[in-house]
Amino acid sequence: MSAIQIIVGSMLGGTEYVAEACEETLIELNYKVDIHLKPDLNNVINNTFPTNNEQNIDSDLVKKPIWILCTSTHGAGDYPDNIKQFVSDLTHCEQDLSTVSFLTIGIGDSSYDTFCKAAVDISKLLISMGCKELSTIKTFDMSEDIDPEDLVQQWIRTNIDLLSI
Ligand SMILES: Cc1cc2nc3c(=O)[nH]c(=O)nc-3n(C[C@H](O)[C@H](O)[C@H](O)COP(=O)(O)O)c2cc1C
């Protein structure tokens, strides 16, 4: 079974709770998960493509890496500060990431014209790098969705087949 890398963009902490709710559900469903609250591209890549010694007999880890991007949007459609360096490093990354499949979960507020733009932008960036999007972006609207942690857990359970790649 693949180890899933959850990469979190959060300014005020709300999206961290949503990401941790995802992590909790995935672990309940027997997935191996690494969560990155302060994402560092080298760490994410090292966990995604472990060397033989680090593989702990899980060959799928190398063949079918999955990333879940879970990010809010701040400013006028900007990335949260904690994920800006990750995105910049990704933009300049020379490693082949085309074997990475990903899902994006966007947290935003529909009163902004730039609703969940950071999530949209990071998805586009990953697609431009050859990564495979497993589903269209799942968004949560903080002006309507009262309990996004509960909703994301329901969504993961309902859509778990997406991760069976
Ligand atoms: C200053 C500020 C700017 C924001 N800009 C956007 C935006 O452009 N688009 C959007 O969808 N949401 C925007 N939001 C809403 C946040 O994404 C939302 O409150 C989210 O829950 C914050 O998550 P976090 O606690 O993980 O940072 C903004 C919120 C603040 C406080």
Side-chain angles (χ1 to χ4, degrees), residues 26-75:
L26 289 168
I27 289 172
E28 274 171 29
L29 296 171
N30 290 326
Y31 283 80
K32 186 176 183 307
V33 183
D34 299 318
I35 189 163
H36 301 266
L37 299 177
K38 293 178 183 162
D40 174 275
L41 183 61
N42 285 331
N43 287 343
V44 173
I45 287 179
N46 287 340
N47 290 6
T48 303
F49 304 107
T51 60
N52 284 340
N53 290 343
E54 294 166 333
Q55 268 188 47
N56 66 29
I57 66 170
D58 190 346
S59 58
D60 279 354
L61 220 54
V62 176
K63 280 192 235 153
K64 300 172 182 172
I66 296 176
W67 291 3
I68 296 181
L69 289 303
C70 193
T71 185
S72 61
T73 298
H74 274 270

Side-chain angles (χ1 to χ4, degrees), residues 9-16 71-78 80 107-110 112-117 142:
S10 179
M11 200 90 143
L12 307 172
T15 306
E16 290 187 8
T71 185
S72 61
T73 298
H74 274 270
D78 297 335
I107 314 295
D109 184 325
S110 60
Y112 290 86
D113 291 343
T114 47
F115 178 57
C116 287
K117 185 171 184 296
M142 297 311 285

Side-chain angles (χ1 to χ4, degrees), residues 55-143:
Q55 268 188 47
N56 66 29
I57 66 170
D58 190 346
S59 58
D60 279 354
L61 220 54
V62 176
K63 280 192 235 153
K64 300 172 182 172
I66 296 176
W67 291 3
I68 296 181
L69 289 303
C70 193
T71 185
S72 61
T73 298
H74 274 270
D78 297 335
Y79 290 109
D81 287 350
N82 78 312
I83 205 175
K84 284 183 177 167
Q85 188 61 50
F86 176 87
V87 174
S88 168
D89 291 345
L90 200 52
T91 309
H92 300 105
C93 178
E94 293 188 354
Q95 171 134 5
D96 178 9
L97 297 178
S98 61
T99 56
V100 173
S101 297
F102 74 95
L103 281 178
T104 304
I105 297 170
I107 314 295
D109 184 325
S110 60
S111 61
Y112 290 86
D113 291 343
T114 47
F115 178 57
C116 287
K117 185 171 184 296
V120 172
D121 287 349
I122 203 162
S123 293
K124 283 184 185 163
L125 176 59
L126 288 169
I127 290 168
S128 77
M129 298 178 76
C131 303
K132 181 182 172 201
E133 192 175 35
L134 294 171
S135 170
T136 50
I137 299 172
K138 175 63 184 169
T139 57
F140 292 98
D141 181 354
M142 297 311 285
S143 69

